[in-house]
Amino acid sequence: MTTMPLSAQPDALSPTTVEKVAILDCGAQYTKVIDRRVRELNFYSEILPLSIPAEQLKDFAAVIISGGPNSVFAEDAPAFDPQILSLGIPVLGICYGMQLIAHTMGGTVQPGALKEFGEIAIGAKTGNPLFAGLPAQQVVLMSHGDKVAQLPPGFEPIAHSGDILAAMMHAEKRIYGVQFHPEVELTEHGQAILHNFLYQVAGLTGNYPLEDRLSQTLDEIRQTVGKKNVFVLVSGGVDSAVTAALLVKALPAEQVFALHVDTGFMRHEESDTVCNALRSIGLKHLEHLKAQAQFLDATTDIDGRVVGPLRQVTNPEAKRRIIGDTFFKLTQDAILAMNLNLDETFIAQGTLRPDLIESGNIGVSQIAHKIKTHHNDVPIIQAQREKGLIIEPNRDWHKDEVRKIGMMLGLPADLVQRQPFPGPGLAIRILCTEQPYITPQFETLNQAVNAEAGEIGLQGNVLPVQSVGVQGDYRSYSYLAVLSGAYRQDWEPLKATAIRIPNRLHDINRVALVLNQDKPLPAELRHITPTHLTEETTGLLRRIDHEVAEALRQSGHFAGISQLLTVLVPVSLTPGRHSIAIRAVVTSDYMTARPAKLGEELPWDVMTELANRITSQYPIDWVMVDLTSKPPATVEWE
Ligand code: XMP
């Protein structure tokens, strides 16, 4: 096999001995975040199974035992080698990790007594290395049902929340435990606590900075690839752009071949931005395939039936399928047309460290290298994987690190800071429809929404369109409610109304506020504008999307939003026109999200000025702002 090794070999590559931190895994969700935090503090980390024999940890400089969903009393509680606590290596147990230490070293853990979930205040003693330099009162995130009731011999308490022990230490043995999660953002001084553990308690120096890791990666690329060619598919996003930039830096320009497929559903100048940026840092062989017409005219086979062309399809899943299949086909054809000898050519992928942790391939399982199937995993790429001709130069980095590496490699800031953008792009932000969506409940729902909106002095409507949501464990495809009227007050009543409506009326999963006041909605709106994916609808949405992003960028509000998007909605006052919905969410994991606050994160003056500009310049009647959290609505509308 000629694939790059899974974990970098820091000792072999670095002239100094790299300080290694072991993260013992009790539950992958937390482990990934601890790993990111430790790496931000300039340490090399390895994620290892909790069951690892102590013997194998001897050359580690510190051990962190992660939190996890288990109770030490559960029959299937993850096992651990108690000798780890006698190695003389500093240990930090987090949550379950702390209970494991207490339980093993002769303390008492009380089951199920503590039901602290969420942010709570603790009082910490600050005269010890773990809390040194931090305020005594601080907010932390607790999330466990068990608590340490009695300390093991030699330990002393160093933080409390009421009568609950929040942290403990054995100063001499350098063994610490925290009942809360220092790795999460909601723990106010979490990163400082981890910093203290590694630098103060363990006395380490942090000798694995990103700069060194970048030069190691460039060396590895050279060693692995040798004189062979490398192909990379550049999507427009951050990860693949950084992969391409690494190849360009590491190898002679002659050896690097890139392809960018412009589906026609990209954002304003997105394709040109990424292609120009890569050319300007030295990428020579770059094929920029402009394929909008091919996508719009494409069909696909779904269950033996020909579906399409895309420009006539309204079903969101069918749209996704046609775009995905067409992307596969065009990519495959383009690679073949490049005449690369695929028995002698590497393919580079933008896989990140969290992707590998999720699929259990970093340390934890130590089995063959399997990775998640990617959107672009066309048969040619699968074949390269079989031949061991895949390289993943980003595989040692988390998202923020990839952005930093991108900057270090000379990619422009607006490219490396890009927000996530779905593969099907603007195609799933144009609600396509031929008929109004009207069920027998329409009229009653419309009245009920109007009554709810009336509680804050607004008009309420149900619109005859569907958008996607998540309600309970299920995806829903339900009505949109809109609020309209003269309203320029606090965010809180708007937010409360947007929560109340889908809670009370289950056929509604999304609530938006209309910003324009000059075109009131009729009491009941039953018509739609038949809408499809075309050059016109896509071009219209692309221009408006750019205008919205620019307005917020110029007002200084763009950076606080995790994802900002614009949706073309097929409703209007005058038949044949459309509306626009602005969706701005704040989230770190995209599993849940909250809407950006109107009047604060989305200032009223910026938003109303923008709405007036859009309705005066484009065939758009209403500009609305999505007020819904995820759940019950998703981030995207389709
Ligand atoms: P939802 O809409 O599920 O979105 O709340 C969560 C995140 O996933 C992105 N997303 C997609 N990405 N193909 C993608 O590559 C898709 O079909 C797709 N649908 C949603 C979305 O942009 C958000 O960041």
Side-chain angles (χ1 to χ4, degrees):
M1 288 279 281
T2 32
T3 34
M4 287 167 84
L6 230 193
S7 306
Q9 301 295 315
D11 298 292
L13 292 165
S14 168
T16 54
T17 305
V18 169
E19 299 155 333
K20 302 201 295 179
V21 177
I23 300 168
L24 305 192
D25 181 38
C26 304
Q29 192 193 344
Y30 302 94
T31 310
K32 190 165 67 178
V33 190
I34 299 172
D35 183 77
R36 171 158 67 85
R37 294 300 191 179
V38 169
R39 282 168 175 255
E40 272 169 18
L41 292 168
N42 289 343
F43 290 94
Y44 173 78
S45 56
E46 274 183 32
I47 297 170
L48 299 163
L50 181 66
S51 58
I52 192 164
E55 194 47 40
Q56 292 179 30
L57 293 177
K58 281 192 169 145
D59 60 341
F60 282 83
V63 174
I64 297 176
I65 308 179
S66 83
N70 300 81
S71 159
V72 288
F73 299 103
E75 261 181 38
D76 55 354
F80 130 99
D81 180 352
Q83 289 305 318
I84 290 171
L85 302 171
S86 310
L87 289 171
I89 300 171
V91 178
L92 173 67
I94 295 175
C95 191
Y96 176 77
M98 161 160 157
Q99 290 149 20
L100 206 55
I101 293 170
H103 189 65
T104 312
M105 297 188 80
T108 325
V109 178
Q110 197 174 315
L114 174 72
K115 287 286 176 226
E116 303 276 9
F117 289 94
E119 298 155 75
I120 61 158
I122 59 163
K125 291 185 186 165
T126 54
N128 62 76
L130 196 67
F131 290 109
L134 301 180
Q137 290 293 319
Q138 41 183 292
V139 173
V140 302
L141 183 86
M142 287 277 192
S143 74
H144 210 278
D146 295 350
K147 72 166 183 177
V148 174
Q150 203 181 347
L151 286 168
F155 277 80
E156 57 179 295
I158 51 171
H160 280 97
S161 169
D163 60 352
I164 293 154
L165 182 70
M168 63 180 195
M169 76 165 174
H170 192 306
E172 196 190 323
K173 290 189 192 267
R174 298 189 295 173
I175 297 177
Y176 287 71
V178 289
Q179 173 73 50
F180 55 89
H181 288 280
E183 71 275 21
V184 302
E185 278 164 26
L186 292 174
T187 296
E188 217 180 351
H189 299 290
Q191 186 68 340
I193 292 169
L194 291 174
H195 184 283
N196 277 350
F197 173 67
L198 294 167
Y199 286 87
Q200 307 284 331
V201 174
L204 304 179
T205 57
N207 62 0
Y208 195 54
L210 207 52
E211 292 76 11
D212 291 5
R213 293 160 61 195
L214 171 57
S215 62
Q216 283 172 17
T217 296
L218 296 175
D219 285 345
E220 281 181 45
I221 293 173
R222 286 181 203 113
Q223 281 166 22
T224 310
V225 172
K227 299 244 176 291
K228 292 192 167 76
N229 289 330
V230 190
F231 169 83
V232 60
L233 186 60
V234 180
S235 68
V238 184
D239 305 344
S240 61
V242 171
T243 304
L246 285 164
L247 297 175
V248 169
K249 283 283 157 175
L251 302 167
E254 288 307 325
Q255 282 174 251
V256 185
F257 293 79
L259 168 67
H260 170 70
V261 180
D262 177 354
T263 57
F265 304 120
M266 315 295 284
R267 285 170 285 193
H268 177 76
E269 291 180 354
E270 183 161 36
S271 289
D272 286 342
T273 304
V274 70
C275 290
N276 293 341
L278 290 171
R279 282 200 185 99
S280 77
I281 62 163
L283 181 63
K284 208 167 135 191
H285 305 302
L286 169 65
E287 159 113 25
H288 178 169
L289 185 66
K290 296 181 182 168
Q292 180 174 51
Q294 279 133 297
F295 275 89
L296 289 175
D297 293 330
T299 58
T300 202
D301 193 307
I302 302 180
D303 302 328
R305 211 163 45 89
V306 176
V307 179
L310 184 59
R311 54 171 90 241
Q312 289 171 12
V313 172
T314 56
N315 179 292
E317 282 319 304
K319 279 159 62 179
R320 274 191 169 81
R321 271 289 290 276
I322 296 177
I323 294 168
D325 292 354
T326 308
F327 192 86
F328 280 15
K329 190 178 170 305
L330 292 179
T331 307
Q332 184 132 325
D333 292 351
I335 297 176
L336 292 174
M338 283 181 174
N339 273 328
L340 294 165
N341 173 0
L342 290 176
D343 288 331
E344 292 288 325
T345 303
F346 275 91
I347 294 187
Q349 300 256 290
T351 323
L352 301 185
R353 186 165 167 85
D355 301 333
L356 295 173
I357 296 175
E358 260 167 33
S359 56
N361 284 303
I362 288 200
V364 179
S365 63
Q366 300 190 337
I367 46 170
H369 185 185
K370 271 190 319 191
I371 72 152
K372 281 201 303 196
T373 310
H374 286 258
H375 177 70
N376 54 9
D377 220 2
V378 297
I380 279 185
I381 292 174
Q382 288 163 2
Q384 293 311 93
R385 201 179 294 291
E386 305 273 299
K387 289 184 254 179
L389 287 171
I390 292 288
I391 57 167
E392 294 170 321
N394 299 354
R395 80 201 182 297
D396 200 34
W397 296 319
H398 292 267
K399 192 80 185 186
D400 291 346
E401 293 174 324
V402 163
R403 295 191 202 278
K404 285 187 195 144
I405 292 280
M407 296 289 282
M408 284 152 79
L409 292 171
L411 293 178
D414 66 340
L415 172 58
V416 300
Q417 296 305 339
R418 283 222 147 174
Q419 295 179 350
F421 188 64
L426 299 182
I428 56 167
R429 295 177 180 170
I430 296 171
L431 295 194
C432 297
T433 181
E434 282 158 4
Q435 301 286 338
Y437 173 63
I438 298 196
T439 57
Q441 298 80 22
F442 185 81
E443 195 175 333
T444 330
L445 270 179
N446 195 59
Q447 285 163 2
V449 168
N450 195 35
E452 296 288 348
E455 290 189 22
I456 55 166
L458 292 179
Q459 176 179 331
N461 280 77
V462 166
L463 297 189
V465 293
Q466 287 165 285
S467 81
V468 177
V470 262
Q471 288 168 295
D473 287 335
Y474 299 96
R475 288 230 143 196
S476 59
Y477 195 41
S478 328
Y479 281 115
L480 164 70
V482 294
L483 314 175
S484 58
Y487 189 90
R488 292 294 174 265
Q489 300 161 39
D490 298 341
W491 164 242
E492 288 305 323
L494 277 178
K495 180 178 133 188
T497 309
I499 292 173
R500 203 173 57 238
I501 291 177
N503 270 348
R504 290 194 183 157
L505 307 166
H506 298 277
D507 290 329
I508 291 167
N509 61 9
R510 199 180 286 275
V511 182
L513 175 76
V514 174
L515 291 173
N516 319 85
Q517 292 179 16
D518 52 343
K519 281 191 202 128
L521 274 85
E524 203 178 86
L525 187 105
R526 285 179 168 261
H527 63 266
I528 52 104
T529 296
T531 301
H532 295 96
L533 294 177
T534 61
E535 288 84 353
E536 291 72 33
T537 50
T538 316
L540 176 64
L541 180 61
R542 187 174 9 251
R543 285 195 297 281
I544 297 174
D545 182 67
H546 177 60
E547 196 141 336
V548 171
E550 277 309 294
L552 286 162
R553 203 171 265 129
Q554 277 162 24
S555 73
H557 294 86
F558 187 78
I561 297 168
S562 314
Q563 195 170 0
L564 174 71
L565 55 106
T566 314
V567 182
L568 192 67
V569 189
V571 292
S572 56
L573 188 59
T574 326
R577 292 161 65 91
H578 286 89
S579 290
I580 281 289
I582 297 171
R583 175 80 163 141
V585 294
V586 179
T587 172
S588 57
D589 59 10
Y590 297 88
M591 305 288 287
T592 60
R594 68 164 178 85
K597 297 174 191 163
L598 257 176
E600 218 176 286
E601 290 157 312
L602 303 174
W604 284 116
D605 53 346
V606 176
M607 298 309 283
T608 39
E609 211 266 315
L610 180 62
N612 292 337
R613 191 144 36 96
I614 292 172
T615 47
S616 62
Q617 285 179 8
Y618 301 97
I620 298 295
D621 277 353
W622 296 300
V623 173
M624 44 192 143
V625 177
D626 191 334
L627 307 176
T628 337
S629 288
K630 174 185 179 179
T634 44
V635 174
E636 303 285 348
W637 279 41
E638 267 197 351

